[in-house]
């Protein structure tokens, strides 16, 4: 199955533009979320370098953000760049569990392989990727038990329809 950036852009924009005045945009550099302003009358989820996986990750953050956060650049979230200490990495991973759980759900919906991102290649220690993935898996399990939030459900349905993937079940989420 081929995952083209133009496809996720089209799927996202068809699914959300009318209701949320938000477009997914291919970026050249670092990903960022920009709320509507005087120059651009719609919100933009900008993903990095045209990478499909980057689009999925940024969409997941958009799905986490509530209405007030979606009015702030990058949702007003704290971000500590690559090169984090072990303590800062632990804080980073705590706030990344929910978005990466959404990303995993959306990736399965699109038939796309998923791996958690510890996003700390230049840190002074090696993050425990499997332990982090287990926490994300636990979050996926809770989300599936409670039912997908509206925007995650809308995009999951659109992705499954486009890629002709099966209904989401917990057995599709394997820690590796």
């Amino acid at each position: 199955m081929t995952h083209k950036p133009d496809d996720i852009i089209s799927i996202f924009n068809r699914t959300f533009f009318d209701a949320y005045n938000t477009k997914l945009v291919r970026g050249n550099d670092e990903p960022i979320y920009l709320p509507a302003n005087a120059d651009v009358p719609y919100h933009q989820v900008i993903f990095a370098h045209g990478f499909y996986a980057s689009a999925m990750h940024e969409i997941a953050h958009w799905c986490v953000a509530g209405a007030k956060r979606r009015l702030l650049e990058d949702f007003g979230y704290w971000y500590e760049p690559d090169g984090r200490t072990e303590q800062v990495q632990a804080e980073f991973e705590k706030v990344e569990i929910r978005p990466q759980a959404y990303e995993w759900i959306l990736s399965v919906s699109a038939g796309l392989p998923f791996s958690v991102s510890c996003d700390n290649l230049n840190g002074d220690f090696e993050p425990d990727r499997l332990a982090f993935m287990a926490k994300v898996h636990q979050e996926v399990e809770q989300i599936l038990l409670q039912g997908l939030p509206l925007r995650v459900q809308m995009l999951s349905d659109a992705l499954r329809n486009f890629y002709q993937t099966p209904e989401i079940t917990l057995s599709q989420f394997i820690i590796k």
Side-chain angles (χ1 to χ4, degrees):
M1 182 178 315
T2 303
H3 292 88
K4 300 175 194 163
D6 288 342
D7 292 336
I8 189 63
I9 290 169
S10 177
I11 294 164
F12 181 93
N13 293 349
R14 273 195 322 264
T15 304
F16 296 116
F17 183 71
D18 289 341
Y20 293 93
N21 191 38
T22 303
K23 287 186 178 182
L24 181 63
V25 177
R26 180 193 320 251
N28 293 322
D29 199 18
E30 292 299 313
I32 190 168
Y33 173 80
L34 299 174
N37 59 46
D39 297 323
V40 181
Y42 52 86
H43 310 297
Q44 299 174 82
V45 177
I46 302 172
F47 64 102
H49 307 290
F51 295 139
Y52 196 102
S54 174
M56 296 297 270
H57 186 78
E58 298 312 309
I59 289 167
H61 277 285
W62 180 79
C63 287
V64 169
K68 289 181 182 177
R69 289 262 186 198
R70 293 193 310 269
L71 297 176
L72 303 172
E73 183 173 318
D74 251 358
F75 313 111
Y77 290 138
W78 156 87
Y79 180 75
E80 181 77 23
D82 189 350
R84 294 180 285 275
T85 65
E86 191 167 354
Q87 180 182 355
V88 174
Q89 180 68 20
E91 291 300 313
F92 170 82
E93 289 180 7
K94 280 186 356 191
V95 300
E96 278 289 312
I97 290 172
R98 172 66 49 131
Q100 291 202 32
Y102 286 176
E103 181 182 354
W104 198 353
I105 291 165
L106 295 173
S107 294
V108 167
S109 299
L112 182 72
F114 172 80
S115 183
V116 293
S117 173
C118 296
D119 194 25
N120 198 29
L121 299 174
N122 297 313
D124 59 1
F125 75 103
E126 181 70 28
D128 187 340
R129 195 188 69 73
L130 286 177
F132 181 50
M133 192 159 194
K135 292 174 187 174
V136 174
H137 185 272
Q138 186 176 26
E139 186 74 7
V140 166
E141 185 173 2
Q142 288 295 60
I143 292 165
L144 293 178
L145 286 171
Q146 295 168 354
L148 299 181
L150 177 62
R151 286 176 287 149
V152 177
Q153 184 70 62
M154 289 171 68
L155 189 54
S156 174
D157 290 345
L159 290 166
R160 287 186 311 94
N161 182 55
F162 184 86
Y163 291 107
Q164 297 297 292
T165 57
E167 198 74 35
I168 299 292
T169 64
L170 185 58
S171 65
Q172 295 164 299
F173 299 87
I174 300 166
I175 299 171
K176 48 182 165 180

